[in-house]
Amino acid sequence: MFFEPFTDVVPSFFGWLNQGPLTLTIFLHTIIVLPMFWIYFQEKKKLEEA
Amino acid sequence: MAKKNVSVWTSIPFWRRSAAWVTGFAVVLLIWLSFDTLGQISMGTDEDLKSGVTKRVPGPTVINYNIDYKFSKKRGSEVPIIGDKEPFFGKEWSVEDAAALLHLGKLTSQAKNCMNCHTLLGNGAYYAPDLTKAWLDPTWEAMGYFGQKTKEEGIAHFLQHPAENAIHTRRMPNLAITPEEAKGLVAFLKHMSSIDTNGFPRNFSKTVEQFKQGGTNAR
């Protein structure tokens, strides 16, 4: 199963994200990389309009 | 109007903003993780032990309880099991006395520099055996507690006379540990073995044969 039931001793957000293989890594990369697309297109627009 | 042919990849503001975003996010994440860790490493209380609340680090009075190590299929690793009460050096320790004894043990472990050869909770060296779960080591029983009646007395005896009771070719030297300090160290080791370390050190409860068969020594 990709998502396992929470088994850690002390409940924590990161513990919950870290239950499956690579789930924490995939989550963190997604929220870091997605806004960079937005930054890219904003800068592109600025350069085109300059 | 045709759009200008622009290169975002060579634009300095793009890289500057990306770097600021990644650095800023990492700073917030690390601060969050630091506070998240506090909840994981804060010590439990005597009430937690009495009411059966599971904490990663139990309170000092855990030395009054039997500690076992069992393989949890759900967790995928061995977990310490705090069982029934058992006397520690022949008595039940109060909250204050247990905390004081544990503190003495911690200071002694630092003064005698155990970490110079041993590993405690992942910190230290691997010249000598890992001490994280040393209390649960079946070797103490196998050695007949060095002629003492109980496990704690046996370990305390060993700590005061390690060179004479060497069980390994890498002999532990005599460190002039006093009887009181030895008691503290045993309490320190017992408490440490009750800490839920997500199964660290890995395969502690397995012998070589059990490891080959995929079994475990943890009951």
Side-chain angles (χ1 to χ4, degrees), chain A residues 2-3 17-30:
Chain A
F2 195 70
F3 288 99
L17 274 178
N18 207 16
Q19 292 299 302
L22 285 175
T23 42
L24 181 63
T25 308
I26 291 167
F27 172 79
L28 289 179
H29 277 80
T30 308

Side-chain angles (χ1 to χ4, degrees), chain B residues 127-147:
Chain B
Y127 182 74
D130 193 314
L131 292 185
T132 311
K133 300 288 169 189
W135 169 262
L136 303 158
D137 199 321
T139 308
W140 302 118
E141 204 181 336
M143 296 305 289
Y145 303 143
F146 303 102

Side-chain angles (χ1 to χ4, degrees), chain B residues 94-173:
Chain B
S94 69
V95 177
E96 292 77 24
D97 289 352
L101 189 69
L102 215 60
H103 188 60
L104 173 69
K106 188 184 83 173
L107 293 183
T108 309
S109 79
Q110 291 165 348
K112 303 295 175 184
N113 204 1
C114 301
M115 278 187 193
N116 210 25
C117 298
H118 295 279
T119 289
L120 314 167
L121 294 167
N123 301 301
Y126 279 105
Y127 182 74
D130 193 314
L131 292 185
T132 311
K133 300 288 169 189
W135 169 262
L136 303 158
D137 199 321
T139 308
W140 302 118
E141 204 181 336
M143 296 305 289
Y145 303 143
F146 303 102
Q148 308 296 307
K149 280 192 200 113
T150 59
K151 193 201 265 189
E152 56 268 27
E153 284 163 345
I155 302 176
H157 176 82
F158 173 80
L159 287 170
Q160 291 168 80
H161 314 280
E164 297 90 315
N165 294 293
I167 45 176
H168 202 278
T169 46
R170 294 180 189 174
R171 287 187 172 207
M172 177 168 160

Side-chain angles (χ1 to χ4, degrees), chain A residues 5-7, chain B residues 71-77:
Chain A
F6 190 80
T7 54
Chain B
F71 188 83
S72 162
K73 270 198 172 163
K74 198 178 165 200
R75 295 278 302 277
S77 65

Side-chain angles (χ1 to χ4, degrees), chain A residues 6-14 28 31-32 35-36 38-40 42-44 46-50, chain B residues 3-4 6-9 11 13-14 17-18 21-22 25 29 32-33 36 39-40 54 56 74-75 196:
Chain A
F6 190 80
T7 54
D8 214 338
V9 196
V10 181
S12 101
F13 176 66
F14 293 104
L28 289 179
I31 53 171
I32 289 169
M36 288 174 73
W38 178 69
I39 295 172
Y40 176 88
Q42 225 184 18
E43 288 297 327
K44 192 176 181 185
K46 264 191 212 165
L47 286 170
E48 281 169 352
E49 285 168 2
Chain B
K3 279 191 176 168
K4 265 193 282 182
V6 293
S7 163
V8 184
W9 298 112
S11 120
F14 166 72
R17 283 182 69 191
S18 298
W21 157 247
V22 173
F25 183 84
L29 190 68
W32 185 5
L33 274 169
D36 187 70
Q40 302 281 340
T54 320
R56 202 177 273 283
K74 198 178 165 200
R75 295 278 302 277
D196 193 321

Side-chain angles (χ1 to χ4, degrees), chain B residues 43 72 92 155 177 199 205 212:
Chain B
M43 207 184 227
S72 162
E92 181 170 347
I155 302 176
I177 294 169
S205 66
K212 282 179 190 164

